[in-house]
Amino acid sequence: KADPDRLHTEVWVIDQNMDSGSTTTTMFDAFITQAQQDLWMMQCYMVINKPLLERIRYAADRGVNVHVILSDNHVGGRFEHATFHGILDLLEAGARVYIYESPTGSLLHKKMLLADDRLVSVGSANYNFRSQYLSREISLVFDDPVAAELVRPFLDEVLEYSREVGVEEARGFRSFGSLLTFLMMQLGG
């Protein structure tokens, strides 16, 4: 017999195009501001910027445990250098950062947000300038603990193959070359 309390689900489709403004940014902001305990951000290419760092710091200062999962095995060095260059800034803003190391050597191209095992987003948007302002992006957002129960095993599996990045390792990702790539990828990454 179906549990009537588990039959109510709210779902939104976030469809961003050039005419819609930055609905992707609004979605990320909603997750950051709604999270009360835990926020998971699984991103392939996260070319961070000052507003993102301010939002992560805002969540961390409120006591939210912010977790960012990035991928190893990028298809191009510029994506890896630009993404990994920002890890130190993420750590300093209060996030914990993990790098997924696929057992098959593949790129983790999934994008997922999970807030408090209740709010879930899956879709195409990375947290970067291109996804926020220039690209066509689509995401499904669920306000439903049942949806969270469905994505949680995937998150746990990804974490089995992930390692947490410390400050010393994050400093090792910084170089003049990675800075130049990071700056170049602010618009193209």
Side-chain angles (χ1 to χ4, degrees), residues 8-104:
H8 178 74
T9 299
E10 293 186 37
V11 179
W12 298 275
V13 176
I14 308 297
D15 183 6
Q16 173 181 296
N17 56 53
M18 294 302 288
D19 297 327
S20 68
S22 184
T23 55
T24 296
T25 300
T26 303
M27 177 188 71
F28 278 103
D29 285 352
F31 273 80
I32 290 169
T33 58
Q34 290 298 307
Q36 298 298 310
Q37 296 173 347
D38 291 295
L39 175 64
W40 290 90
M41 303 172 79
M42 185 181 299
Q43 296 283 292
C44 182
Y45 309 121
M46 183 182 256
V47 183
I48 57 121
N49 54 38
K50 186 176 178 182
L52 170 62
L53 292 172
E54 289 171 355
R55 288 170 172 103
I56 287 176
R57 188 172 286 110
Y58 167 75
D61 287 349
R62 289 184 7 254
V64 176
N65 298 307
V66 180
H67 307 272
V68 177
I69 302 173
L70 305 171
S71 181
D72 207 355
N73 303 313
H74 288 260
V75 294
R78 70 183 188 276
F79 294 105
E80 182 175 316
H81 292 297
T83 297
F84 287 9
H85 182 85
I87 291 175
L88 183 61
D89 295 318
L90 290 167
L91 294 173
E92 289 173 350
R96 294 175 69 181
V97 179
Y98 310 82
I99 296 178
Y100 172 74
E101 297 172 327
S102 167
T104 62

Side-chain angles (χ1 to χ4, degrees), residues 136-148:
R136 177 84 189 256
E137 302 292 351
I138 193 157
S139 296
L140 296 175
V141 177
F142 301 86
D143 185 357
D144 182 9
V146 175

Side-chain angles (χ1 to χ4, degrees), residues 168-180:
E168 289 306 311
E169 182 180 4
R171 286 186 181 129
F173 295 131
R174 295 287 180 107
S175 68
F176 182 69
S178 72
L179 174 61
L180 291 177

Side-chain angles (χ1 to χ4, degrees), residues 102-187:
S102 167
T104 62
S106 62
L107 173 71
L108 178 66
H109 203 244
K110 309 277 190 269
K111 289 86 172 183
M112 183 195 65
L113 300 169
L114 177 62
D116 297 333
D117 287 328
R118 181 184 62 91
L119 258 166
V120 178
S121 170
V122 292
S124 64
N126 289 298
Y127 204 112
N128 60 27
F129 183 85
R130 187 178 72 198
S131 285
Q132 290 179 270
Y133 300 103
L134 303 176
S135 296
R136 177 84 189 256
E137 302 292 351
I138 193 157
S139 296
L140 296 175
V141 177
F142 301 86
D143 185 357
D144 182 9
V146 175
E149 287 175 18
L150 295 172
V151 299
R152 190 64 202 211
F154 174 71
L155 174 62
D156 292 340
E157 182 180 332
V158 166
L159 286 171
E160 284 182 41
Y161 295 100
S162 299
R163 63 181 165 75
E164 189 167 358
V165 179
V167 171
E168 289 306 311
E169 182 180 4
R171 286 186 181 129
F173 295 131
R174 295 287 180 107
S175 68
F176 182 69
S178 72
L179 174 61
L180 291 177
T181 304
F182 170 78
L183 294 172
M184 177 189 74
M185 294 296 283
Q186 283 296 313
L187 293 177

